[in-house]
Amino acid sequence: MITNEQKYIDNIADKGVRNKKDLDVFFNQYYAVFVSFACRYCLNEEEARDIVQDVFVSFWEQRMNFTSILTIKAFFYRSISNRILNYLRHEEVKSRYAESQLKKIQSEEFIQESVIREEVSCMIHKKIKELTPREQEVILLSLQNKSNQEIADLLSLSVPTVKTHKMHAYARLRAELEELRFLLLIL
């Protein structure tokens, strides 16, 4: 006696996957096989499942191009292989990048630059806190790359007023941080 599932499998073999019911039957029949195939490429099961599911989505979008179970299975095996190879290449690139970044952050030069950058930032922010409250607001927004117009809108000021606050604040900061500027030139 032929079961309903067997009828669907025979239908898929003859005509391909045409509707959601066909896809459900095909999925139930082959999903585990495709995941097992993907795992043979040294992927963990979660990565393999993700790739197989992506291929199912891709297949569904172009299902009308396939008319037999052989072309469907060939599509799945080839697509899974290609996606795995792309995934592995991407992982290799990420690994090389992480390795180069690790070498960089372990270098003495990087550590020194980071320390200097943090110390300078701390000193600048300390000096900014000595400005008037309005100048502080204007300078901090300016450091966030806000335009004069954006600062004016945020603080309910006119653009000329923002420019005046910036001018006064920068003049005071230049005077206060002159020795720092000289120190940075030496480094």
Side-chain angles (χ1 to χ4, degrees), residues 5 21-33 56:
E5 187 165 308
K21 179 67 176 165
D22 291 347
L23 182 67
D24 288 344
V25 171
F26 182 76
F27 182 89
N28 290 333
Q29 186 78 19
Y30 291 102
Y31 178 74
V33 172
F56 266 96

Side-chain angles (χ1 to χ4, degrees), residues 16 26 34 52 62 67 123 130 140-141 150:
F26 182 76
F34 294 144
V52 170
Q62 42 187 320
T67 56
M123 291 171 79
E130 294 174 9
L140 290 173
L141 289 170
E150 290 173 317

